Amino acid sequence: MAPVPISPINVGHIDDVQELRKTKPKTIPQRFVRHMTERPTIATSVSQPNSDMPVIDFSKLSKGNRDEALTEILNLATACEEWGFFQVINHEVEVNLLESIEEMSREFFMLPLEEKQKYQMVPGTVQGYGQAFVFSEDQKLDWCNMFALGIEPYYLRNPNLWPKRPERFSDTVELYSREVRKLCKNLLKYIALGLELEGDAFEKIFDVAVQAIRMNYYPPCSRPDLVLGLSPHSDGSALTVLQQAKGSPVGLQILKDGIWVPVQPVPNALVINIGDTIEVLTNGKYKSVEHRAVAHQENDRLSIVTFYAPSYEVELGPLHEFVDENHPCKYRRYNHGEYSKHYVTNKLQGKKTLDFARIQTKSTN
């Protein structure tokens, strides 16, 4: 997670969107109003059949016979290469645990503002309650409240930011995070096999993986056509696991073939996406994908996101298996901690953060 900035960052006044919704339900402050080119419109939110979004049956990978497992590994490889996103069913995270983390997250966001502000996010960092990735007083804001915590390794945790209320919040986060960590390790094993690597290839590279959790709460918005719930970005992680709360409106959109495609949730499924780290390691064979969240006029939306990434100590670069005469090296080697610091100290802006690692090719005239 982000280090504390060396000097204070002036982010100006940031309205809490939940309070804004309560006190001035029709008001959209200018800091939330997006430029015309950024606004979500029907034309840029074309729906595609839900069947197009790959769905991976984890039970076939973990418990299926040889043919079932091989077929599903192939399906997983296709999903990673063609979409960078997929939904996973039968993932072995208990449904009652999914329900518990939703309940705890919602209870936290419904606390009085003064209670939540005890865990305020310091500008320039990404742990605590508030808005992340804000670095100037004229920057456009997302129609969203966030609460984020470092989970693993243990030294990333800031005990002062773990809330006392709701009472079972911390225990539920611990249990949920443990199960999701197990799922990430297993998925990376099958992703490696689909790439014709050893099953433990990523685990060896990652060392003690970094894990963080973030809850996103999107209140209803009287003018959802003017705002964004979350700015377009790719994730700096290796894998991201998204849980969309039951009953929430469709809010997640991914950029596919130049079109913003809404992700229709499959009941009890988790949405998985490839992060920048996997793009680098596979030399661009698997790409991280831009995604964003949109607001809804009448209903609120809640999501719980887990980020899973290599240790900050490791060096990363394209694996030699993905570099040859036809596939020149696209990314330099770098320290993952330095990349993480770069990621969390820049505003969300598409895939621009990955420029940190890209090898810039000189054009010849």
Side-chain angles (χ1 to χ4, degrees):
M1 308 292 278
V4 175
I6 296 169
S7 57
I9 296 171
N10 184 13
V11 297
H13 174 71
I14 296 179
D15 282 299
D16 185 286
V17 285
Q18 282 175 263
E19 297 303 306
L20 197 61
R21 176 71 187 179
K22 281 183 204 168
T23 55
K24 300 176 183 175
K26 301 295 182 190
T27 303
I28 311 293
Q30 275 303 307
R31 281 196 79 181
F32 292 92
V33 176
R34 295 287 174 149
H35 186 271
M36 290 290 293
T37 57
E38 293 181 301
R39 294 177 191 175
T41 64
I42 293 170
T44 58
S45 304
V46 178
S47 183
Q48 292 188 358
N50 191 42
S51 58
D52 285 356
M53 166 65 77
V55 176
I56 301 301
D57 188 339
F58 185 77
S59 65
K60 289 181 180 176
L61 293 169
S62 61
K63 295 171 184 166
N65 61 39
R66 188 173 182 277
D67 287 346
E68 283 178 327
L70 288 174
T71 299
E72 208 62 6
I73 285 172
L74 182 60
N75 292 339
L76 177 59
T78 303
C80 291
E81 187 161 7
E82 295 183 1
W83 280 79
F85 265 81
F86 56 92
Q87 301 201 54
V88 61
I89 58 173
N90 300 321
H91 42 64
E92 299 180 0
V93 182
E94 295 289 341
V95 173
N96 62 356
L97 188 51
L98 300 181
E99 292 170 349
S100 293
I101 195 73
E102 283 179 24
E103 182 188 347
M104 290 299 105
S105 301
R106 189 171 288 280
E107 280 189 30
F108 174 81
F109 283 114
M110 294 306 129
L111 290 170
L113 180 61
E114 57 269 24
E115 181 69 23
K116 292 182 286 190
Q117 285 180 333
K118 292 176 182 176
Y119 314 105
Q120 196 74 24
M121 190 181 290
V122 176
T125 70
V126 289
Q127 287 203 62
Y129 173 78
Q131 285 231 12
F133 306 102
V134 182
F135 300 99
S136 70
E137 54 188 330
D138 57 356
Q139 187 178 327
K140 292 297 182 183
L141 300 174
D142 293 331
W143 194 264
C144 177
N145 282 339
M146 298 176 173
F147 183 63
L149 295 169
I151 302 293
E152 296 289 347
Y154 206 81
Y155 72 81
L156 291 178
R157 300 187 182 204
N158 181 342
N160 296 327
L161 295 178
W162 285 66
K164 306 289 187 292
R165 296 170 56 195
E167 198 174 315
R168 294 185 295 115
F169 184 93
S170 295
D171 289 345
T172 305
V173 167
E174 291 278 16
L175 185 55
Y176 178 81
S177 297
R178 194 158 62 237
E179 293 303 304
V180 172
R181 189 176 184 86
K182 212 183 300 178
L183 176 64
C184 288
K185 284 184 177 181
N186 283 321
L187 283 173
L188 283 170
K189 176 176 74 175
Y190 297 119
I191 289 171
L193 292 172
L195 289 163
E196 299 182 357
L197 300 171
E198 294 294 324
D200 62 353
F202 292 126
E203 192 175 349
K204 282 180 176 175
I205 294 166
F206 285 17
D207 198 17
V208 179
V210 168
Q211 184 178 349
I213 190 170
R214 190 179 77 215
M215 295 95 172
N216 303 315
Y217 180 76
Y218 306 93
C221 179
S222 61
R223 291 294 305 273
D225 56 315
L226 298 180
V227 307
L228 282 175
L230 193 58
S231 301
H233 64 286
S234 62
D235 292 334
S237 55
L239 288 183
T240 301
V241 180
L242 170 72
Q243 178 179 338
Q244 304 191 78
K246 278 184 184 173
S248 290
V250 174
L252 173 65
Q253 298 180 344
I254 69 172
L255 188 61
K256 180 158 174 59
D257 304 324
I259 295 172
W260 287 106
V261 179
V263 176
Q264 304 284 345
V266 172
N268 298 322
L270 294 169
V271 179
I272 314 292
N273 65 277
I274 298 296
D276 295 346
T277 297
I278 296 293
E279 176 165 339
V280 169
L281 290 170
T282 63
N283 199 34
K285 181 177 175 66
Y286 291 174
K287 293 180 174 61
S288 59
V289 174
E290 271 188 65
H291 51 287
R292 69 182 186 184
V294 296
H296 193 274
Q297 190 164 7
E298 295 167 4
N299 299 314
D300 63 358
R301 177 172 176 262
L302 172 69
S303 65
I304 297 107
V305 191
T306 296
F307 303 99
Y308 188 86
S311 162
Y312 289 152
E313 277 72 49
V314 303
E315 281 221 335
L316 297 175
L319 300 175
H320 68 84
E321 289 90 344
F322 303 104
V323 179
D324 56 34
E325 287 182 6
N326 298 319
H327 304 91
C329 193
K330 296 177 181 176
Y331 308 94
R332 66 181 180 87
R333 289 194 68 78
Y334 59 87
N335 169 268
H336 181 62
E338 287 179 12
Y339 179 65
S340 296
K341 184 177 178 181
H342 173 76
Y343 188 93
V344 300
T345 53
N346 283 275
K347 68 178 184 178
L348 299 179
Q349 200 172 356
K351 292 192 66 168
K352 193 171 181 357
T353 317
L354 199 50
D355 290 346
F356 174 92
R358 283 196 184 95
I359 295 172
Q360 304 300 327
T361 54
K362 292 180 182 176
S363 57
T364 53
N365 295 320

